[in-house]
Amino acid sequence: MKDAAPETAPETFYLKDYTPFGFEVQSVELTFRLAPKATRVLSRIHFAPKPGAANPEFFLHGEQLTLISAAVDGAPVTPTLTEGGLTCDVPDRPFVWEAEVEIDPQGNTALEGLYMSNGMYCTQCEAEGFRKITYYPDRPDVMSTFRVRIEGDEPVKLSNGNPTASGAGWAEWHDPWPKPAYLFALVAGDLVNHPDSFTTMSGKEVELNIWVRPGDEGKCAFGMEALKKSMKWDEDVYGREYDLDIFNIVAVDDFNMGAMENKGLNIFNSSCVLASPETSTDANFERIEAIIAHEYFHNWTGNRITCRDWFQLCLKEGLTVFRDAQFTADMRSAPVKRISDVIDLRARQFPEDGGPLAHPVRPEQFQEINNFYTATIYEKGAEVIGMLKRLVGDEDYAKAVTLYFDRHDGQACTIEDWLKVFEDATGRDLSQFKRWYSQAGTPHLKVSEDYTDGTYTLTFEQSTPPTPGQPDKDPRVIPIAVGLLGPNGDEVCATRVLEMTEAKQSFTFDGLAAKPVPSVLREFSAPVILERDTSNAERAFLLAHDTDPFNRWEAGNALAREARVAMVLEGAAPDADYLDALQKLLRDDSQDPAFRALVLSPPSQSDIAQTLFERGHAPDPQKIFDAAETFAQTLAQQLADSLPRLYADTTVSGAYSPDAISCGKRDLNGRILSLLTRLDGGQQAARQYEDADNMTQQYAALACLLKAEKGDAQSQAFFDQWKGDRLVMDKWFALQIASAAPETAASVARDLTQHDLFTLKNPNRFRAVMGALAGHHAGFHHASGAGYRLLAENLIALDKLNPQTTARMCAAFQTWKRYDADRQALIRTELERIAGTEGLSRDTTEMVTRILDA
Ligand code: PHE
Ligand code: ZN
């Protein structure tokens, strides 16, 4: 019997243990002598003991480094090597540390530190990758300027800051802005650029480049436009100007995350920057625009003002997600962005917050920080800022944020610093609000109402279920945006923000001629689960009349959910009133197509499973799947007469453009095509596949055909056409699984792992297959357990190469306690198998242990 527990339990780090580093780092000089298997890194670092720190320990992080030599003030020293670094005796005055180490970029499959991707050198240092490049105090509160010299034959050699000099086989860079090591970056390879420039608000010209592999030059124009729009927007809305002579973006094929905000040298997963109409869908274009903005905005929120320690990760991520959402709302449609974000929050963050991986927006402990780049830190972190803005108002928000930049530029900060600028700018006491940062779990908000003699009363009760390590919760400040509608559908009370602070609290509205219909939590003003006894008639009324687009969508979404739940639990037929409301909306040309598409998109099957679980039922994934099929089939049949016309009316013709209006129309068009395919056996989809001159329409058609089991020829044609394009092939892999029947999804996925083009070494490809499997609710949770087994086998295989991506993918099991005893037993077996694997990384160990501890 193998013991499931690792031999030595990984160390846990605590927020309360924070202590500053004992030395200032005054400047850093690095020289890289590049070689695939034996790169030499020479460092020359000026240290000075901090005044007042009596004989601090000189500890430098370092992992997977071969130390060649070290010196202090030019004299050789022999440091003591420890598990994660080294210590050394150093003088009690400023001194120069020099070291030479050797590293192996070629052998680096974890994609942290310096590694190679398709023959190109690149780095990823956040959160703790710099320690795999050289010995250094690798912590975000240690900031310094960097000079970098790169020696190698690669034609392009890039680092942070401004270029200072170059010659045959070498290039030098200087970054004048003090930064933590996690923002260091280096790229070298055979790259080509898409150049442009931007003139900042004070008239400085900035050189812009997107660097890609030869052949990808044609896929940079959209990203470049997004970058220039982001630069302009940050000046206009936040008064933030760019601060170097040059801004470089590099596209890399092998990357664990989406992109990285290294100072002046952003590195992107190629899927998050390369775009062309032929190879990218509308959703890709939208995402690329948002991620370019996100990384650019980090220049101020993250780089100029960074985090004191990794517990403060939401300081930069929550704020930057909030800023990129504002940007997208301004560039596209604000309601559509809000609705999409809430769908995403409920799909990814609510399950996290309600399960074994729940943690506060500012966690107080971790074993592996890589495991905390979560939907809670990012998306709930952004929601918290949205609530703060709603509570203090737009003007005071602007004042507080300006104070934040003025007061903290150049510093490594905490959530306390962030809240203090709001307190100072507004005179508010935010101590209760701070619970949003310290308490995990999604609050449930129960609503009841009373109408007596013209006075309408809304009563709210909040409660948050226990989460790991936090059995009891205190009431939070909840901004509840409310409007009231009269019986004829007119708004009788415009939006008002109620500020709830108690566990139970009532608010009254006077002078109402009749009992109103409330529109509660407009714009989703707080990330809570609303519970209110209401009727489908009232939901349909709100869907028709609410002035708040979010709540109109929400009413439709609630109708859809109740209809599904009734089908699953009671074997009910699809709800007639809801079908009716949907048909009306679909045919209503006065409505924004993107909005109609969102109303037409049903709650996800995982979302229905969560609802059933919350109501005390173990969800049956197959039944949920069947209900979705029956519903769509019924809707298609009822709409039969109008579908061809609707399809024609929403078809976008002419040259492809990824603007918001066209994207919304194509989204609606694709959903109509999928209904139509249920009736015409794929004739229209096959025609669309033939005619398509852009990936959005080609992909939508192929998806419909595969789902109808009529797409073999097109799938082969698609493969032949795109087998040379990695990003398009990711779509092909994912689609094979997404369109499979529940009972075959796992075997389709298993076959794909044997495909010539499958590799564990590329995170995008791994996610395309395993992510699609985990995302196929009824397939992954099929009673055979084949889905669980396949994922576990692949996680075990990947962990040896890439712990970070393995650990993130473990989250597919986080909802396991929702399901019946048989499924739980199957999942437990797989989790224990992973946990018992010899040599399991600490990333994956932490994740599996937390999930098992549920
Ligand atoms: N800081 C990056 C972002 O959010 C995410 C990231 C984290 C990338 C860790 C790589 C590694 O923009
Ligand atoms: Zn970020």
Side-chain angles (χ1 to χ4, degrees):
M1 273 282 296
K2 228 181 246 156
D3 194 338
E7 285 172 25
T8 53
E11 186 180 356
T12 300
F13 299 91
Y14 297 93
L15 168 61
K16 63 176 167 45
D17 291 344
Y18 173 81
T19 42
F21 187 54
F23 301 82
E24 304 279 348
V25 177
Q26 296 167 323
S27 66
V28 178
E29 288 162 52
L30 301 172
T31 299
F32 289 80
R33 302 202 171 121
L34 297 175
K37 297 228 55 85
T39 289
R40 288 289 172 100
V41 184
L42 286 72
S43 59
R44 202 182 134 79
I45 306 169
H46 285 259
F47 284 100
K50 279 188 184 156
N55 262 327
E57 187 194 30
F58 185 71
F59 173 76
L60 303 180
H61 296 102
E63 285 174 19
Q64 295 163 36
L65 306 173
T66 305
L67 181 62
I68 307 293
S69 66
V72 168
D73 287 335
V77 292
T78 310
T80 309
L81 300 187
T82 67
E83 253 285 275
L86 61 72
T87 57
C88 190
D89 286 333
V90 295
D92 190 17
R93 54 171 167 72
F95 62 93
V96 179
W97 161 267
E98 286 169 288
E100 178 167 357
V101 302
E102 187 171 296
I103 52 180
D104 175 9
Q106 185 104 76
N108 182 352
T109 57
L111 315 182
E112 294 168 352
L114 179 68
Y115 65 95
M116 303 204 71
S117 171
N118 282 323
M120 150 187 168
Y121 292 88
C122 64
T123 56
Q124 174 52 46
C125 294
E126 186 176 8
E128 298 180 335
F130 192 76
R131 62 190 62 181
K132 297 180 174 178
I133 292 176
T134 190
Y135 289 100
Y136 196 75
D138 188 7
R139 36 185 293 169
D141 59 344
V142 173
M143 300 170 80
S144 179
T145 59
F146 282 65
R147 273 185 195 282
V148 176
R149 177 182 167 90
I150 308 168
E151 299 176 3
D153 298 332
E154 297 67 25
V156 176
K157 297 183 271 295
L158 309 171
S159 190
N160 315 92
N162 299 314
T164 49
S166 61
W170 61 276
E172 290 180 353
W173 292 78
H174 175 234
D175 184 358
W177 299 102
K179 66 166 176 290
Y182 83 85
L183 292 172
F184 169 81
L186 176 153
V187 169
D190 184 8
L191 298 169
V192 290
N193 67 327
H194 175 102
D196 207 325
S197 72
F198 179 81
T199 306
T200 70
M201 60 205 274
S202 68
K204 268 196 340 194
E205 179 151 328
V206 181
E207 177 186 334
L208 309 176
N209 291 299
I210 298 182
W211 296 93
V212 297
R213 288 200 283 152
D216 284 337
E217 313 77 304
K219 297 180 184 168
C220 302
F222 179 79
M224 185 56 86
E225 288 313 305
L227 174 60
K228 289 190 288 180
K229 280 193 225 168
S230 307
M231 295 179 86
K232 179 78 170 69
W233 186 89
D234 214 14
E235 292 184 346
D236 292 348
V237 178
Y238 279 84
R240 298 297 108 198
E241 189 177 5
Y242 187 61
D243 54 4
L244 290 165
D245 305 338
I246 185 166
F247 187 81
N248 285 314
I249 287 178
V250 181
V252 174
D253 285 333
D254 304 289
F255 200 74
N256 282 330
M257 306 280 278
M260 179 62 211
E261 70 266 22
N262 316 301
K263 183 77 184 191
L265 179 52
N266 288 2
I267 297 183
F268 275 63
N269 186 320
S270 51
S271 72
C272 296
V273 54
L274 299 182
S276 78
E278 297 73 34
T279 57
S280 313
T281 62
D282 291 342
N284 296 148
F285 277 95
E286 289 172 26
R287 180 148 185 267
I288 287 166
E289 184 175 83
I291 296 183
I292 298 240
H294 179 96
E295 306 310 331
Y296 175 72
F297 297 158
H298 266 316
N299 190 53
W300 275 94
T301 51
N303 301 3
R304 288 285 286 260
I305 304 181
T306 193
C307 303
R308 188 193 72 173
D309 53 68
W310 292 119
F311 300 102
Q312 321 292 333
L313 183 56
C314 66
L315 179 73
K316 73 176 177 83
E317 294 305 346
L319 178 54
T320 305
V321 171
F322 182 72
R323 275 154 47 73
D324 84 53
Q326 287 182 298
F327 169 79
T328 298
D330 284 356
M331 294 297 125
R332 292 172 172 264
S333 151
V336 168
K337 173 64 176 161
R338 188 63 188 139
I339 294 165
S340 318
D341 280 352
V342 174
I343 291 172
D344 179 70
L345 189 77
R346 286 180 175 151
R348 299 192 304 114
Q349 201 276 326
F350 279 23
E352 183 170 272
D353 228 358
L357 300 176
H359 55 275
V361 170
R362 183 174 67 179
E364 284 163 25
Q365 63 183 81
F366 62 73
Q367 289 173 5
E368 174 48 65
I369 184 57
N370 283 338
N371 290 334
F372 284 82
Y373 287 78
T374 60
T376 296
I377 306 282
Y378 276 68
E379 274 72 32
K380 191 177 180 182
E383 290 298 318
V384 172
I385 290 172
M387 285 190 285
L388 199 50
K389 180 161 179 280
R390 201 177 292 274
L391 286 171
V392 304
D394 293 354
E395 241 173 77
D396 278 357
Y397 173 80
K399 256 201 256 167
V401 173
T402 304
L403 181 58
Y404 179 64
F405 292 125
D406 289 347
R407 187 183 284 176
H408 294 295
D409 187 12
Q411 297 177 3
C413 294
T414 61
I415 287 305
E416 281 72 20
D417 296 326
W418 167 252
L419 290 175
K420 185 78 166 70
V421 297
F422 278 82
E423 292 190 323
D424 291 353
T426 67
R428 266 175 184 261
D429 174 356
L430 291 172
S431 42
Q432 187 185 356
F433 184 81
K434 198 176 168 188
R435 288 174 190 161
W436 280 106
Y437 286 99
S438 59
Q439 290 188 169
T442 308
H444 290 237
L445 192 59
K446 220 180 254 165
V447 193
S448 55
E449 63 192 312
D450 177 72
Y451 177 74
T452 319
D453 300 335
T455 298
Y456 181 69
T457 305
L458 279 173
T459 300
F460 298 93
E461 271 176 87
Q462 58 166 304
S463 69
T464 304
T467 53
Q470 291 187 334
D472 304 310
K473 314 276 179 176
D474 299 316
R476 303 185 206 191
V477 183
I478 303 180
I480 309 169
V482 173
L484 302 178
L485 304 186
N488 65 353
D490 289 347
E491 189 165 79
V492 293
C493 172
T495 305
R496 217 169 102 182
V497 180
L498 312 175
E499 195 173 326
M500 182 181 193
T501 55
E502 311 290 325
K504 181 171 181 182
Q505 203 168 344
S506 298
F507 299 87
T508 59
F509 301 78
D510 294 323
L512 294 165
K515 180 170 188 245
V517 174
S519 167
V520 184
L521 212 66
R522 282 182 162 180
E523 274 182 60
F524 203 62
S525 60
V528 300
I529 296 170
L530 205 57
E531 291 169 0
R532 174 162 176 267
D533 280 331
T534 174
S535 62
N536 278 349
E538 195 185 282
R539 293 184 180 109
F541 176 87
L542 285 171
L543 175 58
H545 299 293
D546 203 331
T547 57
D548 179 58
F550 176 82
N551 263 0
R552 279 205 319 122
W553 170 81
E554 181 79 312
N557 184 55
L559 280 171
R561 182 187 310 274
E562 295 312 318
R564 291 301 161 81
V565 168
M567 289 171 79
V568 173
L569 289 183
E570 298 150 29
D575 184 72
D577 292 338
Y578 174 51
L579 281 167
D580 213 49
L582 266 188
Q583 292 185 45
K584 251 189 238 143
L585 189 85
L586 251 183
R587 295 199 186 95
D588 184 353
D589 294 337
S590 69
Q591 304 278 340
D592 176 9
F595 181 80
R596 284 188 280 164
L598 284 166
V599 176
L600 198 57
S601 79
S604 76
Q605 293 176 37
S606 169
D607 201 346
I608 299 294
Q610 180 66 22
T611 301
L612 290 170
F613 171 69
E614 277 163 15
R615 296 182 190 178
H617 308 274
D620 180 338
Q622 184 64 45
K623 278 195 180 158
I624 296 174
F625 179 88
D626 293 341
E629 288 299 305
T630 305
F631 191 90
Q633 194 64 35
T634 311
L635 180 63
Q637 275 154 3
Q638 295 200 354
L639 278 166
D641 293 343
S642 17
L643 281 177
R645 187 189 61 78
L646 279 170
Y647 175 78
D649 288 354
T650 53
T651 297
V652 184
S653 50
Y656 174 87
S657 152
D659 64 273
I661 307 262
S662 309
C663 290
K665 240 176 143 183
R666 275 189 296 265
D667 188 2
L668 182 57
N669 183 253
R671 291 173 200 278
I672 291 166
L673 181 64
S674 77
L675 292 172
L676 194 50
T677 305
R678 289 177 179 274
L679 305 181
D680 78 352
Q683 284 179 42
Q684 188 61 57
R687 236 171 288 147
Q688 175 167 319
Y689 187 87
E690 284 311 309
D691 297 346
D693 65 354
N694 62 77
M695 181 51 69
T696 307
Q697 287 172 328
Q698 190 182 14
Y699 183 83
L702 181 60
C704 289
L705 289 166
L706 283 174
K707 180 101 178 55
E709 299 184 28
K710 294 267 163 47
D712 287 351
Q714 287 85 353
S715 181
Q716 186 59 48
F718 189 96
F719 181 88
D720 292 339
Q721 182 182 358
W722 295 117
K723 57 181 179 292
D725 187 308
R726 289 230 241 177
L727 297 175
V728 181
M729 283 320 291
D730 289 336
K731 298 185 201 307
W732 182 85
F733 272 89
L735 196 52
Q736 306 300 313
I737 300 163
S739 51
E743 62 278 12
T744 56
S747 68
V748 170
R750 182 175 289 281
D751 289 348
L752 289 173
T753 62
Q754 305 304 314
H755 196 284
D756 284 349
L757 293 181
F758 181 78
T759 167
L760 294 173
K761 291 214 169 131
N762 179 253
N764 289 357
R765 188 58 47 83
F766 186 84
R767 280 188 287 257
V769 174
M770 290 301 141
L773 174 62
H776 190 313
H777 184 256
F780 182 55
H781 292 286
H782 189 265
S784 67
Y788 306 146
R789 207 167 315 127
L790 183 65
L791 180 61
E793 282 169 15
N794 279 276
L795 291 175
I796 289 169
L798 185 66
D799 190 64
K800 294 186 175 52
L801 301 173
N802 186 334
Q804 192 182 340
T805 290
T806 308
R808 291 178 73 77
M809 197 68 88
C810 289
F813 289 117
Q814 71 176 329
T815 55
W816 68 302
K817 292 280 165 152
R818 275 182 194 164
Y819 299 93
D820 53 83
D822 289 346
R823 285 187 172 81
Q824 286 194 31
L826 289 166
I827 296 176
R828 176 182 292 283
T829 303
E830 299 308 327
L831 287 169
E832 288 176 347
R833 192 143 70 96
I834 301 171
T837 303
E838 216 172 309
L840 196 71
S841 69
R842 76 180 186 159
D843 304 55
T844 304
T845 303
E846 180 186 24
M847 291 295 276
V848 175
T849 310
R850 284 164 67 202
I851 295 171
L852 270 171
D853 280 352

